[in-house]
């Protein structure tokens, strides 16, 4: 009789042990292996960090040539003091891995199309997209170029060795929490992973993205003449990066328009494009940067400011640090996953970047001989395709094999096997400058070491992709800005739509020499700036791309403010970086109010209008007028264009709101106000705006009922964890701003790093970012700076010499890396 209970108990125990070592279904996903995840010795409990944790440590380590010291300040910012650059980059890699290992590896999994390995089949469309886009292909070509330049090869080799030194030292209980949650382990770091991360940033910041496909449909729907009205080349209110009427060099490349462009390219094609990318970079990816000369500052020394606008995530994209060796002393924001400081300063200069927005990615329609894609028609003959085999591993399932045809343009991204739903089975190849051999890391290596304007120009002149506006200031008093990248010399309109790929007529005809890129040094007005707006006026000899690539109003208000400011201090710049004034509303509110027909409104609707009328034009967190204005302006925009665009089942590109704003400033008798779906009536802008007020009233009533009409509550900014787990995120942050505002914070996008550098001796600097130095959710340093960032506060930066670090009262911990 005892045997039966014993057998039952043994079976239950066996089943229980088996279940604890399995990933069990949970909704659309699976649990981690609960036995390991909950294990008190090895599981996630071990990732909880004591509040009073000490980071003092002596580490005996192979891979460095000399003993190296790291001092951590009260914000856990490391200050590295090494005897050689190689040792410094080794330690940088080690620290990136210690504090951000899972993040940096996860991002390279995304870039290389490997998320299915750890997250399962749901990520296969994204993985296929990145494989077909050629991310790995581009990274492999970049590595070849990086290896040709000794400084970057040595930096990457040392960095990779440092990352792997930390990985090899990890005990099972110290593996970062996310690995345990997703049930996988870190793999060795490689130089290719660094290149992949840099290519991922190229993807995120490439100007026009896949818009060519949507714009082609839009042109075919509207016709070329109507399209030109809705997508003008330049905005009238543009205040460009380079002041208007600046004289430019005569172009060295004479770009030729294909003879059949009017009919083949600009004409209407009855075929439609159904291809839709599964992942699209945020259109608002951009930034602000500016530098003011000593003639406008209280101290007589330049001040440089930068705040790159990107998606808000935890862990943060940036890792703050100082690196000091006999050849450099630099401080700023680094990328976990790459050596060097990306945005920052040294003891001689400061620099910052904003996105140029230039179109360097185009699509070509390929004519294959048959569905095998072995041959394609080019210049009057059948040309053999090359093929790239991409194997995508899928967690718990068979591999997916992608055989990607390679053409003279680049990889065939859309074909019958992927995301192209066209009945006629069309094929689209992508030509992207990120596929070309390049060495963007060399730019940051040289900037870290730069001493003056000449060094700055040398550093950025070979930077290729993504195109950036590099702002500069020096302790000697110079300020400058240059738009730098491998920019295509295009004829007007080239690349806005899908181009024919049957001959060389539509190939890129060359690249603009660096010396012909938009640039200016020490302008008379006493400042330089950029905010992703178009860099130049119409006198510049090359085509930059359609105006909707380039936001207008942040650049406009920045220039307007800087033009009238004098005796500027770093505190003035802090206030300006966090300013919530809405210049878009300044332009359009009077027009909208004038168009409203009060006679058609009830008392509640009139009350809403009155709130907008009395609003102070600031998107501060407690302003109700800001919320109502956004709802109204969005409703007016939809009321004007929805009839033309919503009935189509094709993926389309809608006009930019700037187009509507400028049209109404010129003439409120706007032809697109008429609803094409109504036959017996011709609507006016007064009808559209009045109707918009009526349409938003129920939304406003609900917001009032929910106590969410104030702008901060309505916008509801949050910082998502990379895994989009609420418990690992920061939600409901009280911060103002919005797109088109200097403080460009939207719901989940905004200033990812704020930096102000006063080029005095010694340098005075301030910084903050929406995160913390640690990537461990169990550490109090995971989100240390979020509240200060949301409140518009800054931290005074410690830029210390080694002997100063030893005695500074803000230094809390000390690492010594001892040569093994």
């Amino acid at each position: 009789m005892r045997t039966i209970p014993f057998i039952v108990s043994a079976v239950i125990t066996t089943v229980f042990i088996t279940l604890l070592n399995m990933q069990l279904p949970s909704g659309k996903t699976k649990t981690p292996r609960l036995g390991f995840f909950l294990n008190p010795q090895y599981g996630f409990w071990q990732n909880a960090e004591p509040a009073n944790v000490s980071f003092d440590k002596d580490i005996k380590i192979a891979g460095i040539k000399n003993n190296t010291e790291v001092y951590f300040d009260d914000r856990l910012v490391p200050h590295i003091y090494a005897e050689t650059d190689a040792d410094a980059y080794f330690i940088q890699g080690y620290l990136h891995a210690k504090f951000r290992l899972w993040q940096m590896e996860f991002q390279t999994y995304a870039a290389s199309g490997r998320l299915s390995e750890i997250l399962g089949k749901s990520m296969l469309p994204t993985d296929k997209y990145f494989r077909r886009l050629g991310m790995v292909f581009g990274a492999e070509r970049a590595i070849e170029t990086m290896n040709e330049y000794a400084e970057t090869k040595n930096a990457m080799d040392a960095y990779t060795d440092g990352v792997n030194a930390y990985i090899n030292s990890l005990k099972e209980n110290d593996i970062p929490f996310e690995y345990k949650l997703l049930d996988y382990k870190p793999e060795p770091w490689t130089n290719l992973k660094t290149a992949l991360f840099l290519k991922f940033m190229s993807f995120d910041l490439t100007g026009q993205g896949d818009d060519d496909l949507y714009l082609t449909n839009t042109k075919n729907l509207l016709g070329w003449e109507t399209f030109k009205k809705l997508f003008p080349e330049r905005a009238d209110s543009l205040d460009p990066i380079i002041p208007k009427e600046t004289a430019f060099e005569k172009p060295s490349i004479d770009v030729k328009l294909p003879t059949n462009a009017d009919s083949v390219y600009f004409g209407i094609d009855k075929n439609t494009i159904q291809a839709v990318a599964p992942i699209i970079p945020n259109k608002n990816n951009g930034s602000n940067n500016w530098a003011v000369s000593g003639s406008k500052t209280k101290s007589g020394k330049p001040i440089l400011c930068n705040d790159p606008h990107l998606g808000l995530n935890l862990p943060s994209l940036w890792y703050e640090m100082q690196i000091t060796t006999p050849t450099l002393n630099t401080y700023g924001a680094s990328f976990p996953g790459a050596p060097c400081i990306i945005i920052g300063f040294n003891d001689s200069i400061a620099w910052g970047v904003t996105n140029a927005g230039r179109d360097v990615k185009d699509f070509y329609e390929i004519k294959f001989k048959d569905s095998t894609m072995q041959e394609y028609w080019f210049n009057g003959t059948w040309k053999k395709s090359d093929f790239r085999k991409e194997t995508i591993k899928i967690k718990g399932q068979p591999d997916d094999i992608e055989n990607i045809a390679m053409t003279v343009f680049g990889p065939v991204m859309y074909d019958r096997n992927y995301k192209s739903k066209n009945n006629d089975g069309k094929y689209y190849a992508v030509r992207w400058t990120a596929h070309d051999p390049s060495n963007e890391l060399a730019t940051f290596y040289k900037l870290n070491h730069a001493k003056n304007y000449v060094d700055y120009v040398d550093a950025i002149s070979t930077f290729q992709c993504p195109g950036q506006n590099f702002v500069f200031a020096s302790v000697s008093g110079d300020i400058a800005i240059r738009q730098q990248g491998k920019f295509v010399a295009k004829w007007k309109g080239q690349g806005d739509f899908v181009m024919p790929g049957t001959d060389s007529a539509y190939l890129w005809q060359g690249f603009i020499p660096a010396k012909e890129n938009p640039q200016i040094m020490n302008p008379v007005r006493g400042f330089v700036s950029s905010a992703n707006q178009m860099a130049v006026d119409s006198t510049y000899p090359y085509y930059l791309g359609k105006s909707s690539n380039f936001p207008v109003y942040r650049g406009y208000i920045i220039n307007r403010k800087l033009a009238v400011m004098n005796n500027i201090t770093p505190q003035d710049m802090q206030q300006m970086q966090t300013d919530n004034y809405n210049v878009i509303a300044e332009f359009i509110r009077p027009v909208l109010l004038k168009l409203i027909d009060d006679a058609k409104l009830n008392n509640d609707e009139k009350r809403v209008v009155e709130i907008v009328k009395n609003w102070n034009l600031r998107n501060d967190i407690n302003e109700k007028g800001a919320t109502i204005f956004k709802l109204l302006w969005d409703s007016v925009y939809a009321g004007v264009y929805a009839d033309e665009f919503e009935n189509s089942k094709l993926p389309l590109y809608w006009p930019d709101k700037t187009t509507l704003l400028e049209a109404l400033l010129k003439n409120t008798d706007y032809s697109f106000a008429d609803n094409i779906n109504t036959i017996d009536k011709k609507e006016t802008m007064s009808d559209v705006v009045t109707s918009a007020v009526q349409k938003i009233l129920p939304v406003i009533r609900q917001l009032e009922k929910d106590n969410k009409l104030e702008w901060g509550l309505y916008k509801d900014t949050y910082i998502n964890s990379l895994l989009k787990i609420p418990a690992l995120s920061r939600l409901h942050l009280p911060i103002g701003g919005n797109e088109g505002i200097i403080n460009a914070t939207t719901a989940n996008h905004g200033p990812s790093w704020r930096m102000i550098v006063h080029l005095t001796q010694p340098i005075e600097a301030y910084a903050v970012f929406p995160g913390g130095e640690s990537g461990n959710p169990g550490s109090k340093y995971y989100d240390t700076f979020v509240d200060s960032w949301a409140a518009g506060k800054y931290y005074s930066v410690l830029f210390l010499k080694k002997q100063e670090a030893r005695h500074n009262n803000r230094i809390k911990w000390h690492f010594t890396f001892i040569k093994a």
Side-chain angles (χ1 to χ4, degrees):
M1 294 296 292
R2 294 179 183 177
T3 305
I4 294 175
F6 175 79
I7 293 172
V8 171
S9 176
V11 169
I12 292 173
T13 300
T14 301
V15 170
F16 185 64
I17 292 172
T18 302
L19 289 175
L20 286 177
N21 283 279
M22 291 176 59
Q23 289 188 286
L24 304 175
S26 176
K28 295 183 179 180
T29 184
K30 291 183 177 181
T31 67
R33 288 180 299 128
L34 295 176
F36 175 75
F37 187 68
L38 298 174
N39 186 302
Q41 286 182 297
Y42 306 114
F44 81 99
W45 317 98
Q46 292 294 319
N47 298 109
E49 195 173 85
N52 62 345
V53 62
S54 172
F55 293 98
D56 289 325
K57 198 169 187 179
D58 290 341
I59 303 171
K60 193 171 185 179
I61 196 164
I64 55 175
K65 293 182 173 62
N66 304 277
N67 294 350
T68 302
E69 293 185 271
V70 180
Y71 292 87
F72 291 87
D73 65 28
D74 50 2
R75 297 190 294 120
L76 199 59
V77 175
H79 304 256
I80 300 172
Y81 301 96
E83 294 301 317
T84 68
D85 285 8
D87 285 353
Y89 295 130
F90 180 99
I91 302 305
Q92 185 181 26
Y94 186 98
L95 294 177
H96 277 173
K98 176 175 174 59
F99 292 104
R100 301 290 189 87
L101 177 61
W102 177 80
Q103 169 199 4
M104 52 197 273
E105 189 173 58
F106 184 77
Q107 288 172 156
T108 61
Y109 268 77
S112 57
R114 295 181 58 195
L115 289 178
S116 297
E117 289 184 36
I118 54 177
L119 296 177
K121 195 172 183 178
S122 64
M123 299 309 300
L124 187 58
T126 299
D127 286 347
K128 284 188 174 188
Y129 178 81
F130 281 127
R131 298 292 181 101
R132 289 174 166 271
L133 179 58
M135 295 284 278
V136 179
F137 169 64
E140 289 170 349
R141 299 190 78 187
I143 281 292
E144 294 173 5
T145 305
M146 290 177 180
N147 286 341
E148 294 172 2
Y149 183 62
E151 284 82 356
T152 50
K153 184 183 188 312
N154 293 340
M156 285 195 304
D157 287 347
Y159 181 87
T160 292
D161 288 345
V163 174
N164 287 328
Y166 178 76
I167 291 173
N168 294 335
S169 74
L170 272 177
K171 297 177 181 177
E172 195 166 21
N173 58 300
D174 293 327
I175 291 174
F177 163 79
E178 292 88 349
Y179 288 106
K180 298 173 183 177
L181 182 67
L182 299 174
D183 196 29
Y184 75 112
K185 292 184 178 180
E187 62 185 22
W189 192 261
T190 64
N191 290 357
L192 179 62
K193 290 195 173 193
T194 293
L196 279 164
F197 175 76
L198 296 174
K199 290 301 172 188
F200 190 75
M201 295 310 299
S202 294
F203 161 76
D204 209 28
L205 298 173
T206 289
Q208 194 163 306
D210 291 3
D211 297 349
D212 308 17
L213 306 173
Y214 310 143
L215 284 166
T216 301
N217 284 336
T218 306
K219 177 209 48 170
N220 291 338
L221 174 71
L222 300 175
W224 176 233
E225 294 304 318
T226 301
F227 181 92
K228 286 192 292 184
K229 293 177 183 177
L230 293 180
F231 298 91
E233 184 180 349
R234 268 177 183 78
D236 293 337
S237 51
L238 169 69
D239 190 353
I241 296 170
I242 308 303
K244 293 178 180 179
E245 300 179 359
T246 296
F248 298 106
E249 288 194 30
K250 183 179 179 181
S252 59
I253 302 175
D254 183 17
V255 185
K256 303 295 184 183
L257 179 73
T259 56
N260 63 356
D262 285 343
S263 58
V264 174
Y265 182 72
F266 293 112
I268 296 177
D269 186 345
K270 293 182 180 179
N271 293 313
T272 58
I273 300 172
Q274 295 283 0
V276 178
I279 180 169
I280 300 172
N282 193 309
K283 184 181 177 182
N284 294 315
N285 283 343
S287 307
N288 303 324
N289 67 17
W290 63 83
V292 292
S293 73
S295 65
K296 292 181 72 69
T297 66
K298 187 174 182 179
S299 68
K301 296 294 184 180
I303 300 175
L304 181 143
C305 307
N306 192 196
D307 55 302
H309 306 155
L310 296 166
L312 303 177
N313 293 300
L314 285 172
S316 168
L317 175 68
W318 304 105
Y319 182 77
E320 188 176 348
M321 65 194 316
Q322 179 180 353
I323 303 173
T324 301
T325 76
T327 70
L328 81 157
N329 184 17
T330 187
Y331 189 108
S334 65
F335 282 146
C340 302
I341 297 298
I342 305 301
I343 297 173
F345 60 94
N346 60 33
D347 42 21
S348 300
I349 73 162
W351 71 94
V353 296
T354 67
N355 199 30
R358 301 275 286 275
D359 182 17
V360 293
K361 184 167 72 171
D362 290 335
F363 285 87
Y364 291 85
E365 183 182 333
I366 305 300
K367 178 182 177 182
F368 282 105
K369 193 172 187 178
D370 54 42
S371 60
T372 66
M373 300 186 290
Q374 295 292 327
E375 296 178 86
Y376 61 99
W377 188 255
F378 186 73
N379 280 345
T381 188
W382 292 108
K383 187 174 178 65
K384 284 190 176 295
S385 308
D386 293 321
F387 282 86
R388 184 179 175 92
K389 183 179 178 180
E390 296 279 356
T391 301
I392 303 175
K393 296 183 180 298
I394 305 172
K395 189 173 186 177
Q397 297 194 35
D399 296 347
D400 180 89
I401 307 298
E402 297 292 310
N403 289 304
I404 303 169
M406 303 293 290
T407 69
V408 294
F409 305 99
V412 175
M413 190 166 178
Y414 294 99
D415 58 29
R416 291 182 175 182
N417 301 314
Y418 174 71
K419 284 288 179 183
S420 184
K421 303 175 184 177
N422 299 4
N423 294 328
D424 54 9
K426 292 200 171 188
Y427 303 85
Y428 300 102
V430 61
R431 174 71 176 100
W432 185 23
T433 57
H435 292 155
D436 297 346
S438 65
N439 187 358
E440 281 73 31
L441 188 60
T443 289
F444 300 111
Y445 178 90
K446 290 181 178 181
L447 283 172
N448 287 194
H449 291 78
K451 300 298 182 185
N452 50 44
Y453 174 77
V454 173
D455 291 347
Y456 149 80
V457 171
D458 176 65
I460 70 173
S461 291
T462 57
F463 190 89
Q464 292 188 194
C465 186
Q468 298 288 292
N469 301 303
F470 285 88
V471 71
F472 163 87
S474 70
V475 294
S476 61
D478 291 323
I479 62 171
I481 195 166
R482 177 193 269 195
Q483 186 167 94
Q484 178 58 38
K486 189 175 183 180
F487 298 128
V488 187
K490 293 187 171 186
W491 38 267
K492 186 176 179 180
Q494 184 177 12
D496 288 351
F497 315 120
V498 174
M499 292 187 282
T502 52
D503 60 52
S504 55
Y506 288 83
L507 281 171
W508 293 348
Q509 298 175 30
F511 298 100
I512 301 169
K515 67 177 184 178
E516 296 177 31
N517 284 334
Q519 55 195 291
I520 194 167
M521 177 188 182
N522 295 333
V524 174
R525 66 182 184 178
F527 68 89
V528 294
S529 74
S530 70
N532 315 117
Q533 75 267 44
M534 192 170 282
V536 291
D537 64 16
S538 59
T539 62
Y540 186 68
Y542 297 105
Y543 180 66
L544 272 65
K546 58 184 177 59
S547 64
S548 54
N549 279 5
F550 306 99
V552 173
Y553 295 102
R554 275 186 292 110
Y556 178 93
I557 189 61
I558 286 170
N559 286 352
R560 191 171 81 179
K561 283 178 172 290
L562 291 177
V564 298
M565 293 177 73
N566 289 293
N567 294 314
I568 298 170
T569 67
Q571 288 67 40
D572 295 330
M573 297 291 84
Q574 291 177 17
Q575 291 178 12
M576 183 167 158
Q577 267 192 342
T578 57
D579 188 72
N580 293 326
Y581 183 76
N582 192 328
V583 72
I584 295 174
E586 175 192 311
F587 277 118
I588 198 60
R589 179 177 66 173
V591 179
L592 298 180
L593 292 175
K594 189 175 181 181
L595 286 167
I596 293 171
D597 186 349
D598 288 339
K600 295 181 179 179
L601 302 181
N602 61 34
N603 289 336
D604 214 9
E605 291 159 350
K606 290 178 181 178
R607 175 181 66 87
V608 165
V609 172
E610 200 64 23
I611 294 174
V612 174
K613 187 182 297 184
N614 294 324
W615 171 44
N616 63 6
L617 298 179
R618 295 187 58 81
N619 280 52
D620 297 330
I621 58 175
N622 60 346
E623 292 297 332
K624 296 179 179 180
T627 303
I628 297 173
F629 171 78
K630 176 174 169 50
L631 292 169
L632 176 62
W633 184 222
D634 287 351
S635 183
V636 169
Y637 174 78
V640 171
Y641 296 126
D643 52 317
E644 279 87 4
F645 287 84
E646 280 190 345
N647 289 336
S648 175
K649 296 181 180 179
L650 297 173
L652 299 172
Y653 197 101
W654 284 46
D656 195 81
K657 285 183 179 177
T658 302
T659 301
L660 176 59
L661 186 154
E662 295 200 332
L664 296 182
L665 290 178
K666 292 175 187 174
N667 187 355
T668 55
D669 186 17
Y670 189 47
S671 61
F672 291 95
D674 183 35
N675 190 330
I676 61 175
N677 298 318
T678 59
I679 301 173
D680 56 348
K681 182 182 179 183
K682 182 178 180 179
E683 287 80 10
T684 66
M685 279 306 306
S686 178
D687 295 326
V688 172
V689 178
T690 304
S691 174
V693 174
Q694 296 166 337
K695 288 176 180 177
I696 66 172
L697 182 61
V699 178
I700 293 169
R701 284 174 171 167
Q702 186 62 49
L703 289 171
E704 288 178 320
K705 181 180 177 182
D706 297 338
N707 196 30
K708 291 185 177 180
L709 189 59
E710 291 183 356
W711 178 244
L713 297 172
Y714 173 77
K715 180 161 68 78
D716 199 21
T717 295
Y718 61 97
I719 305 175
N720 236 343
S721 78
L722 284 174
L723 290 177
K724 296 180 170 53
I725 298 174
L728 307 183
S729 307
R730 285 294 304 271
L731 309 177
H732 314 305
L733 296 172
I735 182 170
N738 199 28
E739 60 188 57
I741 293 171
I742 296 178
N743 176 17
T745 308
T746 60
N748 185 231
H749 192 275
S752 61
W753 163 257
R754 291 193 185 117
M755 179 185 78
I756 295 168
V757 185
H758 192 190
L759 279 302
T760 52
Q761 288 283 27
I763 285 177
E764 176 188 8
Y766 303 87
V768 68
F769 65 89
E773 289 288 82
S774 177
N776 177 10
S779 169
K780 73 175 185 178
Y781 297 100
Y782 177 68
D783 59 354
T784 326
F785 314 140
V786 170
D787 292 335
S788 294
W789 172 83
K793 297 178 181 179
Y794 292 72
Y795 297 101
S796 176
V797 160
L798 286 181
F799 186 49
L800 303 172
K801 295 178 180 178
K802 185 176 179 179
Q803 57 269 33
E804 295 172 331
R806 287 172 174 161
H807 306 291
N808 190 284
N809 60 10
R810 284 181 56 191
I811 295 296
K812 300 300 180 185
W813 304 283
H814 180 220
F815 262 26
T816 301
F817 290 85
I818 303 168
K819 176 185 174 182

